[in-house]
Amino acid sequence: MRLALSLLLVLTACATVPADPKALLDQWLDVVRRQQSVRFNVEIKVEGNDPRRRTYAGVQHINTGGGAVEQKDVTAHAESRWGVTDYRAMILDRDTYLQHNELTLPTGKSFAVLETQGASWTWHYLTSLSLNEQEYDPGSVFADLDRDTLRLVGHDGDRYEFSAGGVPHSGGYTQGEVRLVVEVDASDRVLKAERTGPSADRQQEHRIASYSQWGTAPDVLRPAAETVAKPAEVVVRGR
């Protein structure tokens, strides 16, 4: 009886041991891809000689199933030494609508449509929006992690803490350490991810991302035609 109880305790302990850290990340990323829609709220703060802060909030639908229409509705705010940027972008399939504090629209208009065949200034904003998508995409918190040094350093229920990098290399170079804390629900959907580590310009970056309404985020509604300005009608500040 005592032997059977000991064996049961061992088996129970083994069942609760988390999988390999790389397998965990791959598992969560696979769940992300299969959900197709999500509501997000992301804050990125960079501290050092050139501090800056960016926030993104909204919903997105990703065409991973081959039949859905890609949809995004994101409101963004950015602060840096260059000033403040505020915008709201709505993307439906291949159409992009933009409100931006650098754009002056005609009276009665709420959005500018960024046509690829039109004013040259639209390419600047289309490129910026595309780059920014990489910061609020649910998979972004897992990007660029050194998987060779990825370690699971803490685990409590559905909360996992990882570390990567921080390993000396030849020539005295030490790769910056990244700390990542992930909280998931019972279906392995990421609810919150908090990442701290070096920024691209070797400052300290702290990112907090919250996700909800996996698979049930509301559709993005196209702006009414009468509220949309053509590129030729828009005045762009400083360009």
Side-chain angles (χ1 to χ4, degrees), residues 8 35-36 92 99 110 125 151 156 161 168 180 187 214 219:
L8 178 62
Q35 293 301 310
Q36 296 196 2
L92 290 95
Q99 294 174 343
S110 302
Y125 291 96
R151 306 172 293 279
D156 182 12
E161 183 175 353
L180 174 66
S187 299
W214 284 108
D219 283 335

Side-chain angles (χ1 to χ4, degrees), residues 5 19 34 44 53 55 65 82 84 111 115 160 166 169 172-173 179 189 194 196 199 209 214 224:
L5 179 59
R34 287 189 281 109
I44 303 171
R53 175 177 175 268
T55 62
W82 305 110
V84 174
F111 289 90
E115 296 175 336
Y160 300 80
H169 293 263
Y173 168 71
R179 305 286 290 193
R189 297 173 298 193
E194 188 169 351
T196 302
S199 63
W214 284 108

Side-chain angles (χ1 to χ4, degrees), residues 6-85:
S6 299
L7 180 60
L8 178 62
L9 291 174
V10 170
L11 292 174
T12 302
C14 292
T16 60
V17 173
D20 174 77
K22 290 181 282 189
L24 278 173
L25 297 191
D26 288 337
Q27 178 178 323
W28 295 334
L29 285 169
D30 182 61
V31 172
V32 166
R33 285 188 286 265
R34 287 189 281 109
Q35 293 301 310
Q36 296 196 2
S37 70
V38 67
R39 180 176 294 279
F40 58 86
N41 198 307
V42 179
E43 179 183 34
I44 303 171
K45 297 175 70 173
V46 177
E47 299 176 333
N49 296 326
D50 184 18
R52 51 193 182 270
R53 175 177 175 268
R54 302 182 297 281
T55 62
Y56 303 93
V59 299
Q60 73 171 20
H61 296 244
I62 305 170
N63 185 6
T64 56
V69 174
E70 179 183 6
Q71 304 175 32
K72 292 184 176 72
D73 185 352
V74 54
T75 298
H77 174 81
E79 304 168 10
S80 71
R81 61 191 172 103
W82 305 110
V84 174
T85 299

Side-chain angles (χ1 to χ4, degrees), residues 45-46 176-179 195-200 202-207:
K45 297 175 70 173
V46 177
E177 183 181 21
V178 176
R179 305 286 290 193
R195 174 172 170 163
T196 302
S199 63
R202 299 189 179 183
Q203 298 187 90
Q204 188 73 354
E205 180 177 288
H206 185 60
R207 178 182 310 206

Side-chain angles (χ1 to χ4, degrees), residues 25 141-148 150 164 175 178 180 195:
L25 297 191
V141 291
F142 305 132
D144 302 324
L145 286 173
D146 183 0
R147 293 198 165 208
D148 291 334
L150 184 65
Q175 183 177 1
V178 176
L180 174 66
R195 174 172 170 163

